Amino acid sequence: SLAEVLFTFPLAKGRSLVVLRDDAHYVRSVVNELGLLSLTSEDIWSVLFNDVAKSVQAGTAGGGDRKSNRKSIRMEVDQSTFVQCMMRILSGTGKIKQHSSSEWTEFSPEDTLKNFYLSFDLAQSKQVALNQLMCGLTLLCGGKKSNKLVFAFGLFGGDDSGKNSKKKASMTNTDFFHFFRSFLIVMFSCCNQSLSLSADAVTQYISDTAKEVANDVMAYWKAKKVDKVKFENFSEWYNEGGYETAPWLELLDLKKWVLADQTPAQQQQAQQQQTQPQQQQTQPQHQQETIQLPMTPAHAKSSGVSCFTPGLTPGHEAIKALLASPKIQANGSSPNCPPAPPDDDPLF
């Protein structure tokens, strides 16, 4: 049954995130149509950061606020600029497809990206921090969970230069809140469960859970008298029990849900499609077992970017329309939902 429950993940205040087989099928179709399985987060970010920066700076040249939208990991971007930049990236890969299946007649790459953006515009200000968008997009890209986490950590925790920094990144409670919230926004937006909840409820589920997990990370290291939480600290927290507090981070591995409803032969074929383009590249690949800090620009405490305010909710249509596709209504979750699969990609 398409309404079959694949995984149930615990959230804050006794709530749960339920992933159906239909959700897995849906997301797999989206990433295949966009060609995202063949792209890593680094592939997209290396182009997106500079492309958005040029567009933003061109806009401020006409009298906009230069201080708040200088070239920065946290620079705010409007929907049109984000969608245009992403379409240039995806079109350039040669992997993006026009939909041919009658099952997904409403699919449109542009609509997908527009609704992806709207799900992050919690204040409906038509401006969203680029690092949060990229963090959420990481979930839909190819690559290992561990590599995605180290990359996303760099989006919030380090310098703002756009170049690799010798100074190790560290994150605050607020940084961790936005880090976790960005992943959860995409997870909820891709699940039928969000259709049975109000927009206020979805936002509350996400914000309560992001806040609880962020507090847990910081409390763990405060007890050890560590003020600056670096990636190796985050890894230790996760491996020492954080995986029970935030088991939904396993969904960063697309094999855990995007490929969950495939046969072994289909999984092998998809994995080959994911790895072959990477083997043809001349750039060094992020496939080492030992986690290293990413060669990406990272978060600086720049002014002009508003923090999340509890109570702000994404538009109802943004939640329902994300990824612009018809969905099968869930029949409700089972009390015997299968647990998340064991982690085969631990953080070191």
Side-chain angles (χ1 to χ4, degrees):
S1 168
L2 288 175
E4 177 187 348
V5 174
L6 292 178
F7 312 121
T8 296
F9 297 98
L11 302 176
K13 299 184 177 181
R15 301 160 179 153
S16 298
L17 171 64
V18 179
V19 180
L20 304 179
R21 184 172 297 279
D22 177 49
D23 301 328
H25 174 66
Y26 168 58
V27 177
R28 177 165 57 86
S29 297
V30 170
V31 298
N32 284 340
E33 293 287 351
L34 292 177
L36 289 173
L37 281 177
S38 66
L39 296 172
T40 65
S41 305
E42 291 87 347
D43 293 333
I44 293 178
W45 182 251
S46 62
V47 180
L48 181 64
F49 178 72
N50 288 318
D51 203 3
V52 168
K54 289 177 183 178
S55 297
V56 168
Q57 290 174 337
T60 57
D65 187 348
R66 284 184 176 274
K67 184 176 180 181
S68 64
N69 264 344
R70 62 186 176 84
K71 188 174 183 179
S72 160
I73 196 89
R74 272 187 161 185
M75 59 188 164
E76 294 184 329
V77 59
D78 61 48
Q79 183 192 67
S80 177
T81 299
F82 173 74
V83 172
Q84 289 175 12
C85 291
M86 282 300 302
M87 284 302 297
R88 283 195 290 269
I89 293 170
L90 296 175
S91 298
T93 65
K95 298 288 184 179
I96 194 169
K97 302 176 183 178
Q98 293 300 321
H99 207 290
S100 59
S101 170
S102 59
E103 183 181 1
W104 304 96
T105 54
E106 296 181 22
F107 180 88
S108 160
E110 292 89 348
D111 287 344
T112 295
L113 295 168
K114 286 177 182 178
N115 288 305
F116 177 91
Y117 179 95
L118 288 174
S119 68
F120 280 82
D121 188 11
L122 301 178
Q124 300 183 28
S125 64
K126 299 182 180 180
Q127 295 287 321
V128 178
L130 185 61
N131 62 338
Q132 295 180 36
L133 289 166
M134 186 66 234
C135 183
L137 191 61
T138 296
L139 186 148
L140 300 174
C141 294
K144 296 171 63 176
K145 176 201 70 185
S146 54
N147 289 346
K148 290 181 179 184
L149 284 171
V150 73
F151 169 82
F153 194 97
L155 292 173
F156 296 90
D159 68 55
D160 208 31
S161 65
K163 299 178 181 179
N164 187 34
S165 174
K166 294 181 180 179
K167 185 177 181 181
K168 290 188 175 182
S170 63
M171 281 167 57
T172 65
N173 189 293
T174 299
D175 297 328
F176 273 116
F177 173 81
H178 288 106
F179 174 77
F180 293 126
R181 189 186 69 172
S182 297
F183 292 135
L184 285 164
I185 286 174
V186 179
M187 291 173 189
F188 263 92
S189 297
C190 292
C191 291
N192 276 278
Q193 180 183 5
S194 65
L195 300 180
S196 63
L197 300 170
S198 68
D200 287 335
V202 170
T203 299
Q204 205 64 53
Y205 278 35
I206 291 171
S207 61
D208 286 348
T209 302
K211 184 182 297 184
E212 179 181 84
V213 180
N215 289 342
D216 192 74
V217 175
M218 299 305 293
Y220 179 90
W221 286 106
K222 183 177 181 180
K224 296 176 179 288
K225 302 187 183 303
V226 174
D227 296 324
K228 294 184 177 181
V229 180
K230 299 177 180 179
F231 186 78
E232 55 263 37
N233 302 129
F234 170 72
S235 299
E236 180 178 327
W237 167 83
Y238 187 82
N239 292 328
E240 292 298 318
Y243 60 86
E244 295 180 342
T245 304
W248 35 266
L249 285 174
E250 291 303 312
L251 294 179
L252 288 173
D253 180 355
L254 291 180
K255 294 191 298 294
K256 297 288 174 65
W257 70 327
V258 175
L259 306 179
D261 64 334
Q262 291 184 316
T263 65
Q266 288 174 322
Q267 292 183 23
Q268 183 178 7
Q269 181 181 5
Q271 290 169 0
Q272 289 174 349
Q273 291 174 348
Q274 176 181 342
T275 58
Q276 284 176 355
Q278 296 177 9
Q279 293 170 351
Q280 295 172 359
Q281 296 176 358
T282 57
Q283 300 179 31
Q285 300 303 305
H286 301 273
Q287 297 179 347
Q288 298 88 346
E289 289 303 317
T290 301
I291 300 301
Q292 298 177 348
L293 290 176
M295 296 181 63
T296 63
H299 151 78
K301 305 196 178 297
S302 55
S303 59
V305 180
S306 61
C307 294
F308 173 75
T309 303
L312 295 178
T313 62
H316 218 38
E317 294 306 310
I319 288 293
K320 289 189 175 182
L322 180 65
L323 303 184
S325 170
K327 290 194 170 189
I328 297 175
Q329 188 67 33
N331 293 327
S333 60
S334 165
N336 298 315
C337 298
D343 184 20
D344 57 2
D345 181 20
L347 303 184
F348 296 102

